[in-house]
Amino acid sequence: MSFEEDDSVILHDEHSEYDGQEGQITQVMDTMFGDSTYTVSFEDGQETGIPEDALEAVEDDE
């Protein structure tokens, strides 16, 4: 699953201080290998260069 800007996601990265937190994708970057990495903003900061497999989509309850 690929993500787009403004998608809400949960970060799963045990080495990040934002592990398990919900954030919003603010930038999508394509690598030279055809993969995408993401910048995710959280309430108190942001994390850049996040691979797709470290993100989980937040389900809309609407």
Side-chain angles (χ1 to χ4, degrees), residues 3-9 23-28:
F3 299 99
E4 298 178 6
E5 285 187 28
D6 298 325
D7 284 353
S8 292
V9 294
Q24 187 172 34
I25 293 178
T26 57
Q27 187 176 23
V28 179

Side-chain angles (χ1 to χ4, degrees), residues 12-31:
H12 295 287
D13 180 355
E14 64 185 30
H15 302 292
S16 171
E17 63 183 278
Y18 303 109
D19 183 37
Q21 293 188 29
E22 181 178 333
Q24 187 172 34
I25 293 178
T26 57
Q27 187 176 23
V28 179
M29 298 157 284
D30 292 323
T31 68

Side-chain angles (χ1 to χ4, degrees), residues 25-55:
I25 293 178
T26 57
Q27 187 176 23
V28 179
M29 298 157 284
D30 292 323
T31 68
M32 64 186 216
F33 302 110
D35 301 333
S36 294
T37 60
Y38 302 90
T39 299
V40 180
S41 288
F42 300 93
E43 280 188 26
D44 56 347
Q46 72 176 11
E47 188 87 21
T48 60
I50 302 171
E52 184 176 316
D53 63 357
L55 298 173

